Amino acid sequence: MKTAPDGGHHGISFLILEREMPGYEVARSLEKLGWHSSDTAELSFTEVEVPDENLLGPEHGGFYLIMANFQWERLLMALGAVGAMRRLLSVTIDYARGREAFGRPIGRFGAIRHKLAEVGVKLETSRALTYHALREFVRPERERREAIARGDWGHPAIAAGLREVTMAKLHTQRAAVEVADECLQIHGGYGYMTEYGIERALRDLRLGPIGGGTDEIMKEILGKRLGL
Ligand SMILES: Cc1cc2nc3c(=O)[nH]c(=O)nc-3n(C[C@H](O)[C@H](O)[C@H](O)COP(=O)(O)OP(=O)(O)OC[C@H]3O[C@@H](n4cnc5c(N)ncnc54)[C@H](O)[C@@H]3O)c2cc1C
């Protein structure tokens, strides 16, 4: 929360709030397109008193903690999307082999084969970029931990892999939505039915280009790193 109202980025602190603290309540639960296994709600805080010992990290240093966490969160999202695309491709190849239309498996139609070829390219480019980002991110892990412990937020290890992680997050989240949509199309009417799980993949993956920083924000970060 903001602990120094005029402090901009430098006026944010992390506070641990406990469920039973007076003034805290879940105002209302929110209905979502996907991610139904994870509750999302509007939380309300009215004059909640938080003791000093519930301060997490340095006072007014929350922005740096958010930035440090974002790197790992975005990388995890990219890794998750790679896994999802891999699973979607494998399930859809099986389906294209088994489903027959006009006397042959639909995977024998060029239109379907070409779609799956493109899905394969999206998977491989996503995987290569994500693994590259992961290597760049973890390389200075020891230096990063030490810099965080010292509060040395300007240390180069803090931002290591920022460009690559941002690219991986941007590329994989959009690619995964496109892959899920293509796989749904290949499943035809069954793709639209809940029992095949493809429609769920599309709904769940649609959060990717929004959560953890939107595609537009990823492009802003990358644009700034190009000196623009
Ligand atoms: C299901 C779900 C779970 C979530 N879980 C978490 C969580 O656990 N923790 C957490 O911290 N957050 C969470 N979020 C919040 C999520 O990170 C934000 O929704 C997301 O970062 C976008 O912010 P916003 O909703 O305020 O959109 P806005 O900032 O209002 O953006 C609206 C649109 O404007 C665009 N836009 C905004 N600023 C710019 C700009 N400068 N340049 C160009 N375009 C811009 C955006 O890209 C977007 O298209 C969750 C969101 C959802 C939907």
Side-chain angles (χ1 to χ4, degrees):
M1 72 171 291
K2 287 247 177 195
T3 40
D6 302 326
H9 288 157
H10 304 288
I12 298 171
S13 304
F14 274 22
L15 302 176
I16 300 173
L17 278 105
E18 291 155 43
R19 197 177 275 195
E20 57 280 359
M21 284 177 166
Y24 163 73
E25 62 171 326
V26 177
R28 69 185 176 111
S29 185
L30 300 168
E31 299 289 324
K32 306 192 291 291
L33 176 69
W35 278 65
H36 294 161
S37 55
S38 161
D39 279 348
T40 308
E42 234 174 60
L43 308 180
S44 147
F45 307 94
T46 311
E47 304 291 337
V48 180
E49 282 192 30
V50 185
D52 286 352
E53 72 245 29
N54 284 30
L55 177 68
L56 183 68
E59 192 175 7
H60 310 316
F63 180 71
Y64 297 106
L65 295 178
I66 293 170
M67 287 297 111
N69 178 64
F70 260 146
Q71 285 277 85
W72 188 226
E73 180 181 355
R74 288 170 184 163
L75 200 42
L76 273 181
M77 288 177 75
L79 288 162
V82 169
M85 282 186 265
R86 195 172 144 190
R87 168 95 182 128
L88 282 163
L89 177 59
S90 144
V91 164
T92 308
I93 289 172
D94 286 349
Y95 186 80
R97 282 201 180 111
R99 168 71 177 167
E100 292 202 0
F102 299 98
R104 53 180 159 153
I106 58 167
R108 292 277 185 82
F109 294 120
I112 302 292
R113 272 210 304 256
H114 291 188
K115 277 190 203 298
L116 286 167
E118 282 182 17
V119 166
V121 173
K122 280 187 179 143
L123 168 59
E124 280 311 316
T125 51
S126 296
R127 181 168 22 211
L129 181 56
T130 300
Y131 285 10
H132 172 55
L134 180 60
R135 278 189 291 271
E136 290 300 305
F137 178 76
V138 296
R139 206 162 30 86
E141 184 57 19
R142 189 172 52 81
E143 290 91 324
R144 181 185 289 113
R145 282 180 192 281
E146 287 169 2
I148 290 173
R150 284 195 308 275
D152 181 4
W153 301 106
H155 194 282
I158 300 277
L162 175 70
R163 178 174 158 272
E164 293 78 7
V165 169
T166 307
M167 283 183 174
K169 199 280 181 183
L170 174 65
H171 181 74
T172 57
Q173 303 310 299
R174 183 54 63 183
V177 173
E178 290 166 2
V179 162
D181 191 37
E182 283 293 40
C183 291
L184 192 151
Q185 187 69 19
I186 293 169
H187 277 75
Y190 280 136
Y192 204 71
M193 305 298 157
T194 55
E195 66 192 273
Y196 276 78
I198 308 288
E199 56 80 41
R200 177 182 170 182
L202 179 58
R203 287 186 291 103
D204 284 352
L205 288 166
R206 189 58 187 83
L207 179 61
I210 299 170
T214 62
D215 280 4
E216 291 76 14
I217 297 300
M218 295 306 102
K219 290 177 194 171
E220 280 298 293
I221 295 171
L222 293 170
K224 281 187 190 143
R225 291 191 79 85
L226 292 172
L228 299 169

